[in-house]
Amino acid sequence: MPEPQAVLGGLTESAVFLVVSASGVPGSRARLLDVASSVNDLVRAVGFRQAAAGLTCVVGLGSSFWDAVRPPGAPRPEGLHPFRAVHGAVHDAPSTPGDVLFHVRADRADLTFELTRQLMAALGDAVRVEDHVTGFRYFDSRDLLGFVDGTENPTGRAAVGAAIIPDGPFAGGSHVVVQKYVHDLAAWGALPVEAQERVIGRTKLDDVELPDDVQPPDSHVSLNTIVEEDGTERDVLRDNMAFGDPAAGVLGTYYIAYAADVGVVERMLDRMFVGSPPGRYDRILDVSTPLTGTSFFVPSLDLLESLAADAPDALDAADPGPPPADATPPPAAAPTASPATAPA
Ligand code: HEM
């Protein structure tokens, strides 16, 4: 199997989630592809000086960007399409634009900062920043709702099975879905801890899953447990991080999930927002509002590094024009919400 990008890297102390689109200036797509395709040169230059901090950067390519840059005659990855907005009776998950995701991770915030700085310098006016979030580890990997987040992530071979496309022309690749959620912590804090535990499906202090006889069918854990008819459980690999700006009242969770089959993430989103059965939606959404929602294909390392050289000849002249009109705008701001592009 071709070598995957650093998808399986796991949670770090610090992360940056940078979503950009080609700006439309002449040659912008070619420059964006060049920088994305050679990102590991920058990762080495920044990361080698503090190797123990484990700097990595995963690159994801959005659906229309893939169509523009794919080598002539290359197929489309199965399941690659713009993030599908989800409309529940009470809560919606919007779809927001993005040509390229840079998911930067390290155990030191200076390294994630420095790589992002160098990336932005290399990209220059070729990109429009759609969203830029700096996430951090909060105590023992808790989200800002106060619960440990990431416990049931698959590990080892199960993580590879959940996140990496095993065969076909895109073997070693992956899909990644991101959503930036902001929390209403005043409303959440007004719930007794036992009620919060029933929303999540685990205990708060010691992070133990609630026993079957008290686990609500609409807890976050229940709704996100996908079991096929043959009993197989379907997993994704999550790398959520806390982020925030307390002075601005912005407190959130950046959701990011890698999946070999993006349909698994989409089924989870349907179950959370529409509910299972419809109407019994995830109560986490009463206090958490997604401001963004974007899907990307993550090529294997080999494919990523060959893309710039194999790009169509016309790419340099191509101008992507304005952002697609069908992208759903972010919903009206919740009390603690910021615009999608607010520094966080
Ligand atoms: C589990 C928090 C959004 C999928 C959990 C857990 C927490 C949590 C605390 C329990 C510990 C763990 O196993 O990680 C959050 C927060 C979110 C969020 C604060 C955003 C506000 C999402 C979304 C999805 C998702 C959007 C999927 C589309 C899952 C899955 C599990 C999980 C698959 C593991 C379930 C299990 O097998 O036990 N999440 N989550 N989460 N979450 Fe989320």
Side-chain angles (χ1 to χ4, degrees), residues 18-32:
L18 176 64
V19 176
V20 299
S21 292
S23 64
V25 303
S28 63
R29 280 204 284 221
R31 178 126 53 103
L32 176 51

Side-chain angles (χ1 to χ4, degrees), residues 143 148-152 179 181 202 220 224 238 255 272:
D143 53 45
V148 178
D149 192 350
T151 312
E152 295 296 340
Q179 285 183 298
Y181 284 86
R202 304 183 72 93
H220 184 66
N224 281 300
R238 295 165 291 128
Y255 168 80
M272 282 179 65

